[in-house]
Amino acid sequence: MAKEYYFTSESVGIGHPDKVCDRISDAILDACLSYDKDSRVAVETLVTTQKVVVSGEVTTKADVNYEAIVRETIKEIGYDKAVPGFDYVNADIEVLIHSQSPDISQGVSEGAGLYKEQGAGDQGIMFGYATNETASYMPLAISLSHKIVEKARELREQKVLSYLKPDCKSQVTVLYGENNKAKELDTIVFSTHHAENVSLEQVRKETLEKIIKPVCGNLLTERTKILINPTGRFVVGGPNGDTGLTGRKIIVDTYGGYGRHGGGAFSGKDSSKVDRSAAYAARWVAKNIVAAGLADKCEIQLSYAIGYPEPTSIHIETFNTNKVPEEKIEQAVKKVFNLTPKRINEALNLKNPIYKKTSFGGHFGQKPEGHFFTWERLNKIEELREVALT
């Protein structure tokens, strides 16, 4: 029998300072793409007590009111005057935006660089991952962590738990046993910002009954350790309690530590940046491989060179769960998927303004507004089977 082991992943709420920044950056990207699908955007945001700094490179035909977008996004998250220290009305907003470097632009503009086809917006490595452990093809720990903070947001916005504030964090530790199957949940951590006039006892009791138990279900046992607001107090929160930056929650954004990560952040970047588009494509490839029954788990690495259209490498890892040789899976990937930046954009429709939705709940595995993101589609299963099994 395989040795038991533990694996832990975390997620953060929509009002976590870093996620506030991700959402602002992606809201600006969406505003640009709504008017000009060829916009080039690389926006970074910083937030702290009553201060927002937006900086970066934007080249677009859109007339963007940056301050209005920032204030509307903060309001949408839930930071109004009822949250001390950071709100959409009183925050001081500083905008430091300039156009994209022409040296970079010529490498990613079709026909402008050394190569006829659009090249990658930078060098780098990107990873995609999928597992059949859950219906969403995501690892269990990160899936549950996301669901906890999503449930907290839902109950706050519905005013079922009206004393909750937008900032929160979750963490789930799964105990695995024989055949790498989840046995039970070992530890649940949930920390939530709340109104000052609410007792710790009330926060713990109500969030356990209305958030933790409904989300985690029968994986909870009498042995599961549940830690809710373990410091004993979480009244000062959000950007008033902690400075936030765009792109600082890349493991929350991806697979919770399962599978590797290339290091590049997603939010605030248009799809000419392979940090984002190729990571989405890699997830698309890995998910279709697992759904096709070619492996129980799959990780794919892609690499690119700035200005050059073709991937410089493609590597498949199935962690000894493959049903056919990995070489055949890799050959099938190369035949079925065109992974140049231009073809990724076309296949996944990445020039549409859909990015703000990705800034909360992870970029993979979710169904915003009842439908998958394009990179979550299972539309290559039969082609992969046909090539890999012949």
Side-chain angles (χ1 to χ4, degrees):
M1 183 170 130
K3 179 182 176 182
E4 291 184 340
Y5 66 95
Y6 301 87
F7 195 88
T8 303
S9 296
E10 70 158 348
S11 185
V12 297
I14 193 170
H16 184 282
D18 295 330
K19 280 290 148 198
V20 172
C21 295
D22 286 347
R23 198 166 187 87
I24 290 171
S25 296
D26 275 339
I28 290 170
L29 171 59
D30 280 357
C32 294
L33 293 175
S34 293
Y35 184 82
D36 178 6
K37 291 186 180 296
D38 294 318
S39 296
R40 298 283 168 73
V41 179
V43 170
E44 314 289 342
T45 304
L46 175 147
V47 296
T48 188
T49 302
Q50 293 296 34
K51 181 71 176 181
V52 181
V53 179
V54 178
S55 63
E57 301 80 50
V58 175
T59 300
T60 183
K61 297 174 184 175
D63 182 13
V64 181
N65 186 332
Y66 295 105
E67 181 173 336
I69 291 169
V70 171
R71 293 196 190 279
E72 181 58 32
T73 303
I74 296 170
K75 180 181 180 181
E76 175 187 82
I77 290 168
Y79 283 113
D80 54 27
K81 290 182 180 179
V83 185
F86 188 78
D87 67 85
Y88 75 96
V89 175
N90 295 301
D92 176 44
I93 299 169
E94 186 174 0
V95 178
L96 306 170
I97 298 287
H98 58 88
S99 61
Q100 184 183 51
S101 159
D103 294 348
I104 296 174
S105 179
Q106 76 169 22
V108 295
S109 297
E110 193 165 20
L114 293 178
Y115 302 94
K116 182 178 180 181
E117 188 174 329
Q118 173 189 340
D122 202 352
Q123 70 175 49
I125 56 175
M126 299 84 209
F127 288 92
Y129 181 81
T131 172
N132 60 12
E133 182 179 14
T134 65
S136 64
Y137 295 89
M138 292 290 286
L140 180 61
I142 189 65
S143 178
L144 290 176
S145 295
H146 286 326
K147 287 177 181 178
I148 288 170
V149 296
E150 288 162 4
K151 188 68 172 178
R153 178 194 183 187
E154 174 189 322
L155 297 184
R156 173 177 59 84
E157 292 183 346
Q158 292 175 352
K159 301 193 183 304
V160 175
L161 297 177
S162 59
Y163 56 81
L164 295 184
K165 303 302 180 184
D167 190 6
C168 64
K169 301 178 78 169
S170 65
Q171 186 170 283
V172 175
T173 300
V174 180
L175 172 62
Y176 287 88
E178 189 174 5
N179 298 321
N180 294 314
K181 299 296 184 183
K183 292 180 63 177
E184 61 186 50
L185 301 183
D186 180 79
T187 307
I188 308 290
V189 183
F190 180 58
S191 297
T192 182
H193 187 198
H194 61 86
E196 189 169 9
N197 62 351
V198 181
S199 69
L200 175 62
E201 180 183 12
Q202 182 180 353
V203 172
R204 285 179 169 172
K205 180 181 177 181
E206 293 190 338
T207 57
L208 174 62
E209 293 300 324
K210 296 180 180 181
I211 297 175
I212 305 299
K213 286 184 177 180
V215 167
C216 297
N218 58 12
L219 283 170
L220 292 172
T221 71
E222 69 275 5
R223 294 178 295 278
T224 304
K225 299 179 286 294
I226 300 176
L227 307 174
I228 298 172
N229 281 14
T231 70
R233 180 178 168 89
F234 194 174
V235 172
V236 179
N240 188 38
D242 201 4
T243 298
L245 293 168
T246 299
R248 204 158 59 176
K249 285 290 176 285
I250 57 177
I251 302 304
V252 171
D253 287 343
T254 53
Y255 309 102
Y258 250 111
R260 286 166 281 199
H261 195 294
F266 302 154
S267 291
K269 298 176 181 177
D270 73 87
S271 59
S272 70
K273 283 76 173 173
V274 284
D275 273 347
R276 186 167 214 164
S277 56
Y280 289 175
R283 162 66 175 176
W284 179 42
V285 174
K287 185 176 179 181
N288 276 268
I289 288 170
V290 173
L294 302 181
D296 294 333
K297 300 178 182 180
C298 181
E299 178 188 82
I300 177 170
Q301 184 201 54
L302 304 175
S303 66
Y304 292 85
I306 189 168
Y308 186 70
E310 295 288 341
T312 53
S313 68
I314 299 173
H315 174 68
I316 303 290
E317 170 63 68
T318 59
F319 309 96
N320 297 317
T321 69
N322 51 304
K323 313 306 178 186
V324 298
E326 285 184 347
E327 297 77 20
K328 297 206 75 172
I329 298 175
E330 188 170 312
Q331 290 168 8
V333 167
K334 290 178 178 178
K335 185 170 183 179
V336 171
F337 295 92
N338 186 323
L339 295 171
T340 65
K342 178 180 179 180
R343 300 306 178 190
I344 290 172
N345 266 299
E346 291 174 349
L348 300 182
N349 298 313
L350 295 180
K351 291 189 176 185
N352 290 320
I354 46 83
Y355 294 102
K356 188 170 68 170
K357 298 174 188 174
T358 68
S359 63
F360 171 59
H363 292 242
F364 307 119
Q366 60 168 316
K367 296 181 181 180
E369 299 179 7
H371 61 83
F372 285 112
F373 291 142
T374 53
W375 51 92
E376 294 293 317
R377 293 181 303 185
L378 297 175
N379 58 346
K380 297 292 183 179
I381 292 174
E382 295 305 322
E383 290 177 73
L384 283 168
R385 283 177 181 158
E386 184 178 349
V387 176
L389 298 177
T390 56

